[in-house]
């Protein structure tokens, strides 16, 4: 009987350890994402890795530091592997799915020079945008 009691306590401690490590991971992810404040101006360098939608103005980019971000940039003609080095303004959070189906969230950056013109595109990409496409609900 004493062995069962010790096994239950051990199992409980293991579950607590696993849960606390999950919470720690979520907290660290939140801290990393919150370090980039919307409106922050930064210089980014990297290579484009994938076009977003049919627009020639939205793409995923891998920075020189190895982070994946979403940029809104007037490419003219888009191509993968294009070298980008410019000033950007942080503008939101983009959600996408990888080839294996994993869900990813990356920050959105708009080219500073074209900020006013490209802002509407970034708003459409922002995961936090309110969905205004539904018909209004009427309660009777």
């Amino acid at each position: 009987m004493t062995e069962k009691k010790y096994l239950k306590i051990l199992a409980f401690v293991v579950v607590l350890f696993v849960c606390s490590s999950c919470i720690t991971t979520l907290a660290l992810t939140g801290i990393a994402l919150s370090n980039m404040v919307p409106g922050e101006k930064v210089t980014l360098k990297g290579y484009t890795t994938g076009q977003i939608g049919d627009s020639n103005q939205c793409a995923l980019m891998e920075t020189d530091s190895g982070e994946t971000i979403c940029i809104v940039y007037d490419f003219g003609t888009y191509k993968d592997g294009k070298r980008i080095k410019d000033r950007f303004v942080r503008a939101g959070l983009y959600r996408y799915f990888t080839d294996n189906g994993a869900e990813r969230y990356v920050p959105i950056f708009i080219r500073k020079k074209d900020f006013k013109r490209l802002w509407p595109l970034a708003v459409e990409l922002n995961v936090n945008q309110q969905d205004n496409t539904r018909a209004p609900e009427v309660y009777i």
Side-chain angles (χ1 to χ4, degrees), residues 30-111:
I31 290 169
L33 289 176
S34 68
N35 283 339
M36 291 180 277
V37 180
E40 179 180 6
K41 295 170 183 72
V42 294
T43 298
L44 296 172
K45 298 181 254 181
Y47 295 91
T48 57
T49 58
Q51 186 174 0
I52 297 174
D54 296 331
S55 171
N56 279 336
Q57 297 173 322
C58 305
L60 292 175
M61 180 174 98
E62 185 170 336
T63 64
D64 288 349
S65 61
E67 300 170 3
T68 300
I69 61 170
C70 171
I71 61 170
V72 182
Y73 186 93
D74 195 1
F75 293 102
T77 303
Y78 175 83
K79 66 178 182 176
D80 283 347
K82 181 175 181 164
R83 176 78 175 155
I84 303 289
K85 178 184 177 188
D86 214 327
R87 296 278 296 161
F88 289 86
V89 178
R90 171 79 157 70
L93 197 61
Y94 176 66
R95 180 181 77 164
Y96 72 100
F97 295 92
T98 61
D99 293 337
N100 63 2
E103 184 177 32
R104 301 277 187 230
Y105 291 89
V106 295
I108 300 171
F109 289 91
I110 304 170
R111 184 179 184 201

